[in-house]
Amino acid sequence: MNDYEVVVKVPASTANLGSGFDSIGMALQRYTTVKMKLANQTKVNLIGQHQQGLPVNKQNLIYQAADYLCRQAEIETPQLEIEVESEIPLSRGLGSSGAAIIGGMVAVNTLVGTPFTKDEIFQLASELEGHPDNVGASLFGGVLVAAKNKENKFTYVNFPPPEQLKVVVSIPDYELQTMEARGVLPEQYSREDAVYALSHAALLSAALMRGDFKAMGEALNDQIHQPYRKHLIPGFEEILENGKNYGAIGAAISGAGPTIIAFTSQSSERLILYIKQVMEKYNVNAQTIEIPIDYNGVVCKINERTFEKLKN
């Protein structure tokens, strides 16, 4: 840990899973690691290719998340030295901002004496992110299903997906900003689309919990966001229509995209090869791989010196 007081490892996440728009997320084994200690002046050290262009001062999202938590705890935000190393590419629909928010909040919460529980951090992170699916999956691991009440508080269920479930991702080398992907969505939906969305999201939750892959294949279908976003993501519609012929349970846009996810309970090799061929057909340079599901969520370690200080 060198001289950093807290080290937090946060998994990536895929959100929506087709029909679970802004409400269902799943953690994946790609990680952002946040190291944090008290300092005389705030600075942020960024390591790795996935963080180019991010701010290295108090405008960094990890510091912003730490500051938000401290303000909610009515604690003066300390000056912090933060080191960040990430395997999660930016603006690809794999929860990079959600992981950053969880990393910043969990780390500073430990440094300032743990004013908030894990459940309370989930509420704060969901408020800051604006939706609970990415931050919840990164915090708890496995599958996270959540809903917001009239008081803007979130109720959630967290559970491990079936062990046979495998996730294939195709991560293109271009970014898609969430704001752009949200901008193509309509302001209003028909009653028919609303009922379709509600029934499919409910079915998806039940299918994931029961491990019913046949039901999951239908439940991944969506009428709320994917029909409006598919033109932003070359190759997605073809994979959605034909992926089942290559072992896919179904496919979806990961978060706001442009990453495409496909699920299978078989060996993923044939499905990966097919998706690679589709990406080549559409002249998209993409990394297509299987990424294991993360079942543990955030992991926080503190050094012995910090532990003794907090204990006393």
Side-chain angles (χ1 to χ4, degrees), residues 121 153 193 260:
I121 289 174
K153 296 298 181 183
D193 283 348
I260 299 169

Side-chain angles (χ1 to χ4, degrees), residues 4-256:
Y4 283 92
E5 296 174 320
V6 178
V7 177
V8 176
K9 187 176 180 182
V10 192
S13 60
T14 180
N16 301 329
L17 281 66
S19 59
F21 184 60
D22 277 2
S23 60
I24 301 178
M26 179 185 292
L28 299 175
Q29 289 185 30
R30 286 292 183 273
Y31 298 95
T32 292
T33 301
V34 177
K35 299 179 181 180
M36 185 180 289
K37 66 179 177 180
L38 301 176
N40 294 323
Q41 184 175 355
T42 292
K43 65 176 181 178
V44 181
N45 304 311
L46 303 177
I47 299 173
Q49 62 177 344
H50 294 310
Q51 302 183 87
Q52 293 179 1
L54 293 180
V56 293
N57 53 25
K58 290 184 178 181
Q59 298 307 307
N60 187 280
L61 182 57
I62 290 173
Y63 178 85
Q64 294 278 311
D67 178 59
Y68 187 81
L69 181 141
C70 288
R71 285 188 282 115
Q72 300 308 308
E74 299 182 345
I75 295 171
E76 182 178 354
T77 306
Q79 300 293 323
L80 299 168
E81 183 174 335
I82 303 168
E83 180 181 290
V84 190
E85 188 168 4
S86 185
E87 302 171 338
I88 309 172
L90 300 175
S91 300
R92 299 296 204 285
L94 289 170
S96 59
S97 64
I101 289 169
I102 292 299
M105 286 190 174
V106 170
V108 83
N109 190 62
T110 302
L111 278 183
V112 299
T114 321
F116 292 114
T117 66
K118 202 171 185 179
D119 284 351
E120 290 168 336
I121 289 174
F122 168 67
Q123 298 292 337
L124 296 175
S126 298
E127 291 169 12
L128 186 59
E129 174 81 334
H131 45 90
D133 40 8
N134 289 114
V135 294
S138 288
L139 184 63
F140 297 111
V143 173
L144 188 288
V145 182
K148 182 166 65 173
N149 65 21
K150 293 181 179 179
E151 288 74 43
N152 291 323
K153 296 298 181 183
F154 294 87
T155 301
Y156 70 91
V157 175
N158 174 229
F159 58 91
E163 291 183 3
Q164 310 98 296
L165 187 65
K166 298 173 182 176
V167 181
V168 172
V169 301
S170 187
I171 310 169
D173 63 358
Y174 65 90
E175 297 184 358
L176 178 59
Q177 300 296 328
T178 301
M179 188 176 297
E180 180 184 355
R182 285 189 178 271
V184 300
L185 302 182
E187 292 293 326
Q188 294 181 321
Y189 295 92
S190 68
R191 179 184 297 180
E192 182 181 6
D193 283 348
V195 171
Y196 187 101
L198 290 167
S199 61
H200 279 70
L203 183 64
L204 179 59
S205 298
L208 284 167
M209 192 170 285
R210 288 284 300 271
D212 187 331
F213 297 134
K214 182 178 179 180
M216 183 179 172
E218 172 59 36
L220 288 164
N221 291 318
D222 166 70
Q223 293 284 12
I224 294 297
H225 68 108
Q226 292 187 160
Y228 306 98
R229 289 173 167 170
K230 63 186 180 183
H231 71 278
L232 300 172
I233 304 171
F236 170 65
E237 192 166 12
E238 186 166 328
I239 292 168
L240 190 65
E241 291 177 357
N242 299 325
K244 291 184 180 181
N245 296 328
Y246 298 88
I249 296 166
I253 299 170
S254 184

